[in-house]
Amino acid sequence: MSHSRTPIVRAASLSLCLVSLLTACSETSAPTLIPGSASISAVSPLRVTAVVGTRVAALSVVVKDAEGNPLAGAIVRFSITAGGGTLSDLAARTNSSGIASVASWTLGTVAGMNAVAAIIEPLPPIRFEVVAVAGPPVSVTKVEGDQQIAARG
């Protein structure tokens, strides 16, 4: 092969790669671009109380355009911002009603505030909060204290 044909072969190879890449990315897999005039709001309650380490109900948000119409195909990221725990999904695509959901959230194991943010750029995040409280005791064991005497008063 002569050196004069090498650029043509490289260009053809590059073109083939680009066509393959574009074919692999269908319209249905591309996320919807979100204009700054869109809105995101909570469908699920923003603040609840639950026992540490338990699974709480699904978290859902709705994304709408400036006219209030649901935006389908937008990708919403979900991120734990306080308290630890785990999410069933870290991202969800909005359905035809504009709703994106995480199936479940298992709280952290320490009492206190747990929080998850639902994020879709360029909109401000939605913060879901759960006040995690200690559950009932599993067992009670007496260690000491029989026959104690104290002065009255």
Side-chain angles (χ1 to χ4, degrees):
M1 180 183 302
S2 71
H3 290 288
S4 63
R5 293 184 141 190
T6 303
I8 295 171
V9 172
R10 286 184 185 158
S13 296
L14 180 60
S15 296
L16 182 59
C17 289
L18 287 174
V19 168
S20 298
L21 180 63
L22 292 174
T23 303
C25 296
S26 69
E27 282 187 37
T28 57
S29 67
T32 300
L33 295 177
I34 306 301
S37 58
S39 67
I40 182 172
S41 58
V43 175
S44 306
L46 289 174
R47 188 165 190 165
V48 296
T49 300
V51 175
V52 297
T54 60
R55 186 181 303 186
V56 295
L59 303 177
S60 298
V61 295
V62 62
V63 181
K64 296 182 179 181
D65 65 17
E67 288 78 40
N69 301 311
L71 282 174
I75 296 176
V76 178
R77 292 182 302 116
F78 293 87
S79 175
I80 295 174
T81 58
T86 57
L87 293 168
S88 60
D89 306 289
L90 297 179
R93 188 179 295 268
T94 57
N95 61 20
S96 60
S97 299
I99 296 174
S101 299
V102 168
S104 68
W105 174 18
T106 302
L107 300 178
T109 57
V110 177
M113 183 61 66
N114 284 244
V116 167
I119 304 160
I120 184 166
E121 299 293 338
L123 306 176
I126 297 294
R127 182 177 164 101
F128 294 96
E129 297 177 342
V130 175
V131 178
V133 297
V138 175
S139 65
V140 177
T141 304
K142 177 179 78 169
V143 177
E144 293 181 21
D146 286 347
Q147 301 174 7
Q148 291 185 5
I149 300 173
R152 191 184 311 173

